[in-house]
Amino acid sequence: MFSSLADICNVCADLEYVEDFERCQRKLSTNVGNFNRRQLIRKTWGTDFSINVKWKTVFLLGKNSNDKEMEHVNKESEIYGDMVQADYHEHFWNMSYKVAMGFEWSVKYCTFNYLLKADDDVFVNTLGLMDFLSKYTTPRKKLYTGNIMTESEVMRDGRYAVTPEEYNETTYKPYCSGGGYVLSRDVVEKFLLHFDVLKPLKIDDAYIGLLADRAGVEVTHNEDFRMFENECEYKETTLVQHPATGKCAIKLYHNMIGLFGQVE
């Protein structure tokens, strides 16, 4: 399903011997041409600059037909070693496969307690997220949490159209908005058991909800996963905010680390 652009099988090595805190993997869906987004994330919330590394970020991407962009992405991977590439071309309908690739790669190569799946157009409050994961009230197992969507209508027309042959119900099972959600390792492993049994949907968020339903995993809502924000406003309680790119992401990051910098 996947092939590393470079030898990044040891990207999780710094997490292998950590015992004093929760280990967290971040899997970010991205497109080949989104170099600027990836670079901003690397320079801000996506990198743990501490000596005792608590999290690792890996970018998930496919391929495209632009030879220049593909050459650039190969060089990018050689430099940073934090990208995993799918064996298929980028397409909105392939997102479920991309998520499955990220889950499979994480379980195969990494030791982690939790996995954050997110997109490359979000801001993650890494300090707040790690604090949340370290609390005794946060389940170590059977955790699937984010901004929950319930009774979402199945669209039969337009970009998000799904045919009755693909899914014959009128509403989807509860699921978390795909901008960002957290899974405990045991849930990731359970979902992998069903990937080859439950045919992927074009809507990857909803597909994860189907996997949760099939695996008997309850979806829990967390209001601090803010998925539909119109304003670039920092709130200390926020764990993941969408959308947030460019100057907005930088502003939120500066507020998180206490600089309170203003980006003009």
Side-chain angles (χ1 to χ4, degrees), residues 5-8 11 26-28 30 38-39 41-42 46-47 56-61 73 76-85 105:
L5 288 172
D7 182 10
I8 64 170
V11 72
R26 283 106 184 270
K27 292 291 176 287
L28 302 185
T30 184
R38 292 191 292 273
Q39 196 67 348
I41 290 170
R42 291 184 181 109
T47 301
K56 288 287 187 178
T57 299
V58 174
F59 296 96
L60 310 173
L61 67 162
V73 105
E76 181 185 351
S77 183
E78 290 177 3
I79 294 172
Y80 297 103
D82 59 0
M83 303 164 72
V84 179
Q85 184 182 44
W105 190 90

Side-chain angles (χ1 to χ4, degrees), residues 169-209:
E169 298 187 34
T170 58
T171 59
Y172 289 115
K173 304 294 184 184
Y175 64 88
C176 291
S177 176
Y181 54 82
V182 169
L183 308 169
S184 54
R185 183 186 178 98
D186 64 302
V187 170
V188 177
E189 293 173 342
K190 286 181 179 180
F191 286 0
L192 281 175
L193 295 176
H194 295 282
F195 273 127
D196 294 331
V197 179
L198 195 60
K199 185 178 179 180
L201 287 175
K202 297 172 184 176
I203 316 300
D204 61 299
D205 311 16
Y207 179 62
I208 299 302

Side-chain angles (χ1 to χ4, degrees), residues 13-214:
D14 293 338
L15 298 179
E16 297 296 328
Y17 305 103
V18 174
E19 296 181 353
D20 296 333
F21 44 69
E22 304 306 326
R23 295 164 286 198
C24 182
Q25 270 289 300
R26 283 106 184 270
K27 292 291 176 287
L28 302 185
S29 292
T30 184
N31 288 324
V32 172
N34 290 0
F35 170 76
N36 289 336
R37 288 186 181 183
R38 292 191 292 273
Q39 196 67 348
L40 186 149
I41 290 170
R42 291 184 181 109
K43 292 181 178 180
T44 57
W45 60 262
T47 301
D48 187 349
F49 296 101
S50 61
I51 296 176
N52 295 318
V53 178
K54 300 179 182 179
W55 70 81
K56 288 287 187 178
T57 299
V58 174
F59 296 96
L60 310 173
L61 67 162
K63 301 178 180 180
N64 67 18
S65 300
N66 187 316
D67 293 339
K68 185 175 182 180
E69 286 189 349
M70 289 304 300
E71 181 181 355
H72 189 284
V73 105
N74 282 321
K75 292 180 179 178
E76 181 185 351
S77 183
E78 290 177 3
I79 294 172
Y80 297 103
D82 59 0
M83 303 164 72
V84 179
Q85 184 182 44
D87 291 328
Y88 46 77
H89 277 61
E90 297 280 8
H91 195 286
F92 177 72
W93 292 349
N94 283 333
M95 290 298 294
S96 290
Y97 293 103
K98 184 182 288 186
V99 174
M101 173 185 71
F103 288 0
E104 183 180 353
W105 190 90
S106 296
V107 169
K108 184 174 182 179
Y109 292 113
C110 300
T111 298
F112 63 93
N113 302 109
Y114 300 100
L115 183 147
L116 168 70
K117 182 275 170 187
D119 293 335
D120 65 2
D121 60 348
V122 306
F123 164 74
V124 177
N125 180 347
T126 51
L127 303 180
L129 182 62
M130 295 310 297
D131 181 64
F132 166 70
L133 296 178
S134 66
K135 291 180 177 178
Y136 75 92
T137 53
T138 301
R140 291 291 296 270
K141 293 185 177 182
K142 298 181 179 180
L143 179 66
Y144 171 27
T145 190
N147 191 299
I148 195 170
M149 310 291 290
T150 59
E151 299 295 323
S152 296
E153 180 184 359
V154 178
M155 307 300 292
R156 302 302 184 192
D157 298 297
R159 182 187 183 190
Y160 301 101
V162 174
T163 67
E165 290 74 24
E166 293 171 308
Y167 188 71
N168 62 5
E169 298 187 34
T170 58
T171 59
Y172 289 115
K173 304 294 184 184
Y175 64 88
C176 291
S177 176
Y181 54 82
V182 169
L183 308 169
S184 54
R185 183 186 178 98
D186 64 302
V187 170
V188 177
E189 293 173 342
K190 286 181 179 180
F191 286 0
L192 281 175
L193 295 176
H194 295 282
F195 273 127
D196 294 331
V197 179
L198 195 60
K199 185 178 179 180
L201 287 175
K202 297 172 184 176
I203 316 300
D204 61 299
D205 311 16
Y207 179 62
I208 299 302
L210 294 181
L211 290 174
D213 181 70
R214 181 67 64 91

Side-chain angles (χ1 to χ4, degrees), residues 29 37 45 117-125 147 159-160 177-181 205 223-233 238-245 248-249 252:
S29 292
R37 288 186 181 183
W45 60 262
K117 182 275 170 187
D119 293 335
D120 65 2
D121 60 348
V122 306
F123 164 74
V124 177
N125 180 347
N147 191 299
R159 182 187 183 190
Y160 301 101
S177 176
Y181 54 82
D205 311 16
E223 63 181 9
D224 295 326
F225 286 73
R226 297 165 58 199
M227 292 293 104
F228 310 101
E229 296 300 310
N230 295 320
E231 302 293 334
C232 185
E233 178 185 1
T238 296
L239 299 180
V240 180
Q241 181 168 326
H242 174 272
T245 59
C248 176
L252 296 174

